[in-house]
Amino acid sequence: MGRQKPNKPRRERPEQLVTHEPLAPLPGWPHSHASTGLTDDDVEECVNVVIHGVEHRLHATTARALSDSLLKTLDAYNDRVRGVLADPAARALLPRVPSDELIV
């Protein structure tokens, strides 16, 4: 847990909050799903991350850790997809997706 500012009351947190991708892509995808930027008013929490409309203000070190973790997870996902694509029988079951739309 991050440092608590002396004059800032502690927020109650939900026990668990899970969001999922919408069934249909939102207009402006992918920027309508996730965006990042710098905050204007707080040097401590300097990175603003918005995912599905939920704003998260992060310290730079937390943002870096999130970035590193996402890259590691996407690398593992890409390895899994490459393994599936190596099997012609499994590949035949996949929908035809133009290569420029693949994450891999």
Side-chain angles (χ1 to χ4, degrees):
M1 180 78 75
R3 293 175 284 165
Q4 179 70 25
K5 294 180 183 179
N7 59 351
K8 190 173 181 181
R10 188 169 288 280
R11 290 177 286 168
E12 292 296 319
R13 295 178 184 259
E15 274 191 41
Q16 184 176 12
L17 178 64
V18 177
T19 64
H20 297 275
E21 292 287 336
L23 295 176
L26 298 174
W29 183 90
H31 303 292
S32 58
H33 287 271
S35 63
T36 60
L38 297 175
T39 61
D40 294 331
D41 59 346
D42 194 330
V43 174
E44 294 277 326
E45 295 172 334
C46 61
V47 178
N48 191 49
V49 178
V50 180
I51 302 172
H52 293 159
V54 179
E55 183 176 340
H56 307 273
R57 292 189 168 217
L58 307 175
H59 292 255
T61 52
T62 303
R64 172 56 69 186
L66 175 61
S67 174
D68 292 345
S69 178
L70 282 169
L71 289 172
K72 184 177 178 182
T73 301
L74 285 172
D75 287 345
Y77 169 78
N78 287 336
D79 289 344
R80 185 185 317 166
V81 170
R82 284 186 195 100
V84 169
L85 294 178
D87 178 3
R91 189 177 191 146
L93 298 174
L94 296 174
R96 299 286 179 220
V97 177
S99 60
D100 61 332
E101 292 182 23
L102 291 175
I103 294 174
V104 179

